[in-house]
Amino acid sequence: MSTIDVTVPVAGSPAAGIVRTKHRLGERLVILSLAASAGLSIAVTVGIVASLVQPSVSFFREVRLGEFLLGTTWAPLFTPPSFGVVPIVVGSLLITGIATLVAVPLGLGAAVYLSEYADQRVRKVVKPALELLEGIPTVVYGYFAVSFVGPYVQRWWPLGDTPGVFSALAAGLVMGIMIIPTMGSLSEDALRAVPIDLRRGGYALGARRYEVATRVTVPAALSGIVAAFVLSVSRAIGETMIVFIAAGNTPNLTFNPGEAVQTMTAFIAQAGTGDLPQGSIGYKTIFAVGSLLFVMTFVMNMLSNRVVARYREVYD
Amino acid sequence: MGTVALDGARPRKRFLNTGFLVVLWLCLAIGVVSLIVLLVYVFVQGAPAFGPRLWRRFPSFDPAEAGARSAVFGTIYTVALTAAFAVPLGVGAAVYLEEFADRDHWWSRLIALNIQNLAGVPSIVYGILGLAFIARGPLGLGPVILTGGMILALLVLPMVIIASREAIRAVPPSIRDGAMALGATKWQTTWRQVLPAAVPGIATGIILALSRAIGEAAPLIMIGAFVYVPFMPTGLDSKFTVLPIQIFDWVARPQAGFSQLAAAASMLLLLILLGMNAIAITLRNRYRHRW
């Protein structure tokens, strides 16, 4: 495209050359603007990092890093404030853990069924349906968690004090349902990428279907399944509306799923609705917690990309 | 006969084989049933309050009077703006990466990796970006429709780029070679041959990305979108609310009437999304080229 040789335009000539001379400059501009829109994605990343870093730095001038990361009382908007982030990190991990316990076995089981057992016709209906369900807005899940699952958790809670309608368990269960399609769909892709010959080899050795599935296909697709797992966990940690609506918004250092907790995302949303004055320590707290959340999900996404990249090398 | 003998010799294996299938089947069934329960619950709860008043009446403190007119129109305006930003930028970036960039150049690889990572950034972090840079900070637009459209556009941009790249990559090289052989420039080839051939795939990706934007509440909460807006959006600088935020507000209210309204508005949102997805699937099936 860098050639500048141009057909000499002759007035009135029907040759395409006339049009072309005009196009060359225009074309360069078009390509330049296309390149700029591709470069915009870098600007977005830079923007995200910049928007997080500057207020965070100023946050950590007032609050020691150790106090933030190790402190066990989270009350940044109270007087006197306390900036120990552990309770809301544990809240995020607790709910993510519950969601993972629900979504990983169910999603993986469904994926193995769809790729190894199901009729083509069943697959063709179920897979797009699962992908459709991935698009249900998370506020709707939140509504379901608080008005349907919450009361059941309250009624059927087996040990100790009865939990309130808001609990880590209700939010975690519903978040688990939310990420089943992600886990299932991505694992199914990984399983189907395993060459059919490997399965045939297994059958030729006299293995049964479940043996081929558990000892050949799943191990062969393991890296893809791990990547699906990591992405699902990352989605669960970053999810906001379900936990904001259903987990109770109570910073609470507990591993008891029957209690109300607050997650990092729910704190950010709560502080965001509060219309805090710019420059106040409470406002900066949003960015400090946001940085922590960003780093956690970023590391997980990179990890999952890495795993997928390695896995691709195996069968291409 | 051999297999029969084997089966007889190892009843344990046969049991495991069947048991495994039953477990797998249960996994799928539990997942599907939970999602069906969710949908049915929302529809049953919402049905009594569902009706034209949702898009005819403004929100009110009396659940019997309240509707979601401002939220419905806020959603339409915001998504239109999102599309106006995200479609040209996303498709442009995809065209550049697929047709013009040297794929092995470090810059192109960095951009591709970066887009992958952006797709995994939690939506609330985009909200923080919007708060710091667009609503307040350098642009300082405030919590208005333009801010909402911009932030949702940034949020769905990676989805649009990834889907468009796949659609463009699916156009066979022979089409490009043919056009170039006839003397078309690279851009003429792209604009008149490759892009038209990729339109169904790109459109499907755009619709799916916009349906994600329609359901988002968290980033808009961060930029300070309002929960109580008893007027229609008037322009780009108008205060606004959207359906997910309206639902969130109603869920948080204690009166039973509002909970019912939340379900009805969820129903409306789900129906809109279902409609959009149906269009996407139809587009994909009807116009898919078989090369």
Side-chain angles (χ1 to χ4, degrees), chain A:
Chain A
M1 268 118 297
S2 56
T3 43
I4 318 185
D5 60 318
V6 168
T7 331
V8 179
V10 180
S13 150
I18 298 179
V19 190
R20 197 178 291 171
T21 39
K22 285 185 185 163
H23 270 213
R24 285 281 161 96
L25 180 64
E27 227 167 81
R28 289 243 175 120
L29 289 177
V30 166
I31 292 163
L32 213 64
S33 60
L34 293 179
S37 39
L40 176 72
S41 74
I42 301 280
V44 174
T45 306
V46 172
I48 288 176
V49 172
S51 70
L52 290 172
V53 163
Q54 198 253 332
S56 297
V57 166
S58 117
F59 173 83
F60 286 117
R61 276 205 200 103
E62 291 174 55
V63 180
R64 276 178 299 114
L65 187 63
E67 185 190 336
F68 179 69
L69 290 179
L70 302 174
T72 53
T73 308
W74 182 250
L77 308 178
F78 292 2
T79 31
S82 170
F83 298 99
V85 83
V86 173
I88 59 174
V89 172
V90 168
S92 282
L93 295 181
L94 176 64
I95 289 181
T96 302
I98 297 168
T100 312
L101 282 179
V102 173
V104 168
L106 292 181
L108 187 56
V112 171
Y113 178 77
L114 286 178
S115 89
E116 305 300 307
Y117 286 86
D119 211 64
Q120 275 300 309
R121 277 170 304 173
V122 176
R123 229 194 116 254
K124 271 196 171 155
V125 175
V126 174
K127 188 103 196 281
L130 279 181
E131 280 162 5
L132 194 71
L133 292 170
E134 259 187 285
I136 296 178
T138 53
V139 270
V140 178
Y141 282 107
Y143 165 76
F144 182 65
V146 80
S147 60
F148 183 82
V149 179
Y152 273 107
V153 165
Q154 209 172 11
R155 202 176 312 159
W156 289 346
W157 184 249
L159 10 122
D161 298 337
T162 315
V165 177
F166 302 105
S167 63
L169 186 57
L173 286 176
V174 172
M175 194 188 281
I177 296 174
M178 181 196 83
I179 57 179
I180 289 174
T182 309
M183 181 67 201
S185 177
L186 291 174
S187 315
E188 207 256 357
D189 291 341
L191 288 166
R192 284 180 69 81
V194 174
I196 190 88
D197 292 351
L198 284 186
R199 299 188 182 89
R200 287 188 183 134
Y203 290 129
L205 291 172
R208 282 162 178 273
R209 239 178 173 178
Y210 82 94
E211 289 170 317
V212 170
T214 53
R215 305 212 191 138
V216 178
T217 327
V218 169
L222 197 60
S223 47
I225 293 170
V226 170
F229 168 77
V230 176
L231 269 185
S232 304
V233 170
S234 152
R235 256 198 93 182
I237 289 191
E239 166 48 36
T240 306
M241 294 316 289
I242 295 178
V243 289
F244 192 31
I245 293 173
N249 285 324
T250 319
N252 188 357
L253 182 51
T254 177
F255 287 99
N256 178 357
E259 286 187 40
V261 297
Q262 186 169 47
T263 64
M264 292 184 282
T265 51
F267 166 74
I268 296 172
Q270 189 188 32
T273 44
D275 203 24
L276 296 163
Q278 205 167 349
S280 67
I281 184 74
Y283 183 75
K284 290 174 195 161
T285 313
I286 296 177
F287 296 88
V289 177
S291 302
L292 191 60
L293 177 68
F294 178 73
V295 169
M296 284 171 82
T297 52
F298 181 79
V299 167
M300 275 190 248
N301 294 335
M302 285 299 265
L303 204 70
S304 141
N305 277 344
R306 271 288 161 82
V307 175
V308 168
R310 266 182 68 183
Y311 139 86
R312 274 201 185 133
E313 278 171 1
V314 182
Y315 294 116
D316 260 359

Side-chain angles (χ1 to χ4, degrees), chain B residues 34-237:
Chain B
S34 326
L35 290 161
I36 291 175
V37 167
L38 185 153
L39 293 177
V40 169
Y41 180 76
V42 169
F43 276 69
V44 167
Q45 293 295 309
F50 190 82
R53 74 160 176 160
L54 272 181
W55 55 89
R56 290 219 182 115
R57 298 227 183 119
F58 287 112
S60 154
F61 292 108
D62 175 7
E65 291 293 313
R69 185 175 178 81
S70 48
V72 170
F73 283 89
T75 293
I76 294 172
Y77 289 11
T78 315
V79 168
L81 264 180
T82 304
F85 289 124
V87 170
L89 289 172
V91 177
V95 166
Y96 178 75
L97 291 173
E98 282 300 315
E99 299 291 317
F100 294 99
D102 173 6
R103 210 164 298 172
D104 295 324
H105 196 267
W106 65 270
W107 176 244
S108 315
R109 294 218 315 251
L110 177 69
I111 290 181
L113 179 69
N114 180 53
I115 289 167
Q116 282 291 335
N117 275 318
L118 279 179
V121 172
S123 61
I124 192 129
V125 173
Y126 283 93
I128 294 180
L129 171 72
L131 176 69
F133 268 101
I134 307 177
R136 303 183 188 182
L139 289 178
L141 296 175
V144 297
I145 282 195
L146 183 60
T147 311
M150 281 166 83
I151 211 63
L152 289 182
L154 294 183
L155 175 71
V156 299
L157 200 56
M159 288 181 73
V160 175
I161 297 177
I162 291 170
S164 305
R165 283 190 74 173
E166 274 169 20
I168 291 169
R169 206 178 305 148
V171 177
S174 56
I175 301 274
R176 297 178 182 83
D177 297 343
M180 303 279 272
L182 290 172
T185 63
K186 183 88 188 176
W187 170 245
Q188 285 169 332
T189 306
T190 306
W191 182 247
R192 301 204 191 147
Q193 301 300 328
V194 179
L195 270 180
V199 157
I202 294 176
T204 308
I206 290 170
I207 294 174
L208 292 179
L210 292 182
S211 60
R212 161 115 194 255
I214 284 189
E216 278 294 345
L220 299 180
I221 283 183
M222 287 312 292
I223 61 165
F226 292 82
V227 290
Y228 181 71
V229 180
F231 51 81
M232 288 281 283
T234 49
L236 293 180
D237 59 347

